[in-house]
Amino acid sequence: MAKCAYFLSHKLLLEFCQPKCLKFLRMSHRTLNAVRKFADDRPAVILGIETSCDDTGCGIVDTTGKILSEVISSQHLTHLKYGGIIPTIAGNMHRQQITAVCEDALRSANLRLRDIDAIATTTKPGLSLSLSVGNTFGQYLSRIGNKPYIPIHHMEAHALTVRMVQKVDFPYLVLLVSGGHSLLAIVENVDKFYTLGTTLDNAPGEIFDKIARRLKLANIPEFSHMSGGQAIEIAASKATNATKFAFEPIITHKRNCQFSFSGMLNKCLYYISKQEKEFEIDGSTVIPDAYNLCAAVQMCTVKHICHRTQRAMEFISNLNLISQEKRTLVISGGVACNNFLAKALEIVCSEKGFKFVRTPPRLCNDNGVMIAWNGAERWMANIGVIRDRNEIEMVTVEKKAPLGESWIERVQDANIKCKLVKLKEL
């Protein structure tokens, strides 16, 4: 942290001690009151730090939703070589990058630490080593800048990001799908969430990564720098026979909103092994029907997500939990970038009387802006903003953390029979 300490404590902190500060102290009470009024009227500026997994992000936004700057340092290519994220490597790379990322964000916004009103940092859930780097650094900025600290729940940030760019009133239904999560929840307000369903095993983004790796898609130049999810989506669009591989509908007999993708993964691995034996494939060669298999996997995944989401909609409608004119589905998370999934969910929303709102793809993946915006929402609601120095230093990270209150059993008890909306337009 030597570089961090030098830049922030010696360069930024010294700006609090400029000679003009002495002049400020000699101002008249009338002038001071005018300054205070201006400070109260201007939008608050929040700096957000994201280090929950393998991206080091810093975003700066104000309470009007204006993005003042965003900087992300991705570790994707590093972990691609290892076939997955290595927590120790991720933690070390965050440590190496975080100072420069925050410096660049401040510089890009033409701001100094003194111009920031509060520091917001992801503290849960995620990789412990990665979260600890962000939390330690965020506490450091809070301490040297004498700024309030706002601990952020990563999934809450994903759920609320859309409100920064579009008017979405509470309450609404949110679907979060990513490499680490698949989750349906009602967002009651900034600090109140009701989880209707979550993953029983693997998240869809994780499944896509594993299948793409097993298919050796990275050996095809077009896909060599893509994430597994991106590669599968594009490969699926090139399929010539999307129905060649059969996948059974996923746990349709369970009348809940829980997700499960492990069975599909095992079936997919079976198909890959079968073709490798049939065509005597080894080494770096890709199976002949890789694109067709990707299309089948994508369709199976999308149908499962749509089925669970539709049941959540019917649960909400049956109990009138959200008034008819306000019923909205928001999707976010890395897998929400998948256009095929978005089109399918739009069809379901149209059939079930829900407005479909998609978080802009560039804000779906982990980033500092969503953390800063969550901090801004909490700042405006005066919820979870810590000002006491001792309390700030006591904030710790949590590897696992549920999203709000669990209504999973309540959905199960409702025993809603749900026939999937036909996705003919896909």
Side-chain angles (χ1 to χ4, degrees):
M1 283 285 198
K3 182 182 177 185
C4 156
Y6 173 77
F7 179 82
L8 291 165
S9 63
H10 289 273
K11 188 174 181 181
L12 290 182
L13 188 57
L14 281 175
E15 294 187 12
F16 288 96
C17 304
Q18 297 283 345
K20 55 189 174 186
C21 291
L22 298 176
K23 184 177 180 181
F24 176 82
L25 292 174
R26 289 192 288 267
M27 288 181 178
S28 67
H29 288 299
R30 179 180 297 176
T31 305
L32 284 172
N33 288 334
V35 170
R36 289 193 188 100
K37 185 178 188 305
F38 171 78
D40 290 339
D41 290 344
R42 72 167 177 79
V45 177
I46 312 296
L47 182 147
I49 297 171
E50 159 60 18
T51 62
S52 65
C53 191
D54 62 333
D55 288 331
T56 310
C58 182
I60 302 176
V61 307
D62 68 22
T63 46
T64 69
K66 182 179 180 181
I67 300 174
L68 305 178
S69 72
E70 177 185 9
V71 178
I72 297 177
S73 179
S74 176
Q75 303 176 15
H76 170 67
L77 295 179
T78 298
H79 295 289
L80 195 62
K81 295 185 295 186
Y82 297 101
I85 296 170
I86 310 299
T88 52
I89 293 176
N92 286 334
M93 291 188 72
H94 281 306
R95 199 169 291 107
Q96 294 164 12
Q97 297 162 352
I98 193 165
T99 299
V101 166
C102 289
E103 286 179 11
D104 290 346
L106 284 165
R107 190 178 297 112
S108 176
N110 196 27
L111 296 173
R112 305 293 183 182
L113 185 56
R114 65 183 178 186
D115 303 314
I116 302 298
D117 290 289
I119 309 297
T121 308
T122 307
T123 59
K124 60 185 176 183
L127 300 176
S128 297
L129 294 175
S130 296
L131 288 169
S132 294
V133 174
N135 186 47
T136 300
F137 195 83
Q139 289 170 322
Y140 178 80
L141 290 183
S142 173
R143 182 171 64 253
I144 69 166
N146 193 28
K147 304 295 181 182
Y149 193 59
I150 311 175
I152 300 296
H153 190 299
H154 183 81
M155 302 310 292
E156 291 181 8
H158 271 307
L160 293 168
T161 302
V162 71
R163 284 168 47 85
M164 183 180 69
V165 295
Q166 188 169 339
K167 180 176 171 54
V168 178
D169 293 327
F170 297 124
Y172 57 88
L173 175 65
V174 67
L175 167 68
L176 305 178
V177 275
S178 67
H181 305 274
S182 47
L183 185 149
L184 282 159
I186 296 173
V187 183
E188 184 70 25
N189 58 43
V190 173
D191 197 41
K192 188 173 287 186
F193 301 79
Y194 304 111
T195 295
L196 306 182
T198 186
T199 185
L200 295 170
D201 38 60
N202 308 85
E206 178 192 352
I207 293 294
F208 284 164
D209 286 342
K210 287 180 176 178
I211 292 173
R213 191 159 56 246
R214 182 65 182 83
L215 280 170
K216 297 170 279 194
L217 292 182
N219 293 338
I220 300 174
E222 181 182 2
F223 306 133
S224 59
H225 291 81
M226 293 182 184
S227 68
Q230 289 175 309
I232 284 179
E233 181 180 6
I234 294 176
S237 70
K238 299 174 182 291
T240 55
N241 184 3
T243 60
K244 181 166 185 176
F245 297 95
F247 285 90
E248 294 296 322
I250 300 173
I251 56 172
T252 52
H253 61 287
K254 297 283 188 180
R255 295 184 181 179
N256 56 37
C257 291
Q258 300 287 74
F259 298 91
S260 174
F261 298 96
S262 61
M264 183 188 69
L265 172 62
N266 291 333
K267 185 76 170 182
C268 186
L269 296 179
Y270 164 76
Y271 282 135
I272 295 171
S273 296
K274 184 178 178 182
Q275 280 218 338
E276 286 177 337
K277 289 177 183 177
E278 182 180 348
F279 294 97
E280 297 182 350
I281 291 171
D282 57 16
S284 61
T285 307
V286 179
I287 63 172
D289 278 310
Y291 293 172
N292 290 331
L293 184 55
C294 285
V297 164
Q298 180 175 251
M299 178 59 82
C300 181
T301 301
V302 166
K303 282 185 174 181
H304 180 48
I305 292 173
C306 285
H307 190 254
R308 270 24 202 165
T309 303
Q310 183 181 328
R311 180 172 280 111
M313 291 175 175
E314 295 188 11
F315 173 76
I316 288 169
S317 298
N318 290 354
L319 276 67
N320 199 27
L321 298 173
I322 301 175
S323 61
Q324 195 165 354
E325 65 275 8
K326 280 191 173 184
R327 287 174 190 167
T328 301
L329 170 69
V330 170
I331 65 167
S332 190
V335 179
C337 294
N338 186 295
N339 292 314
F340 190 80
L341 171 63
K343 289 177 183 177
L345 287 168
E346 201 163 8
I347 293 170
V348 174
C349 283
S350 178
E351 287 285 328
K352 293 299 170 182
F354 275 67
K355 179 182 177 182
F356 177 75
V357 179
R358 185 184 185 186
T359 302
R362 77 179 191 87
L363 295 176
C364 280
N365 292 305
D366 297 348
N367 60 83
V369 166
M370 73 179 198
I371 305 305
W373 175 249
N374 192 304
E377 290 254 39
R378 286 179 166 274
W379 177 274
M380 290 184 285
N382 194 26
I383 295 173
V385 180
I386 307 174
R387 292 178 169 81
D388 181 84
R389 296 254 57 84
N390 292 327
E391 287 185 35
I392 291 172
E393 295 302 322
M394 290 174 63
V395 174
T396 58
V397 303
E398 297 176 47
K399 182 178 180 179
K400 296 182 179 180
L403 177 64
E405 181 182 340
S406 176
W407 278 13
I408 293 172
E409 288 189 9
R410 187 175 175 184
V411 175
Q412 180 74 47
D413 292 343
N415 195 33
I416 298 170
K417 188 175 181 179
C418 182
K419 186 177 180 181
L420 179 63
V421 169
K422 292 183 180 180
L423 305 174
K424 293 180 180 179
E425 298 173 35
L426 290 175

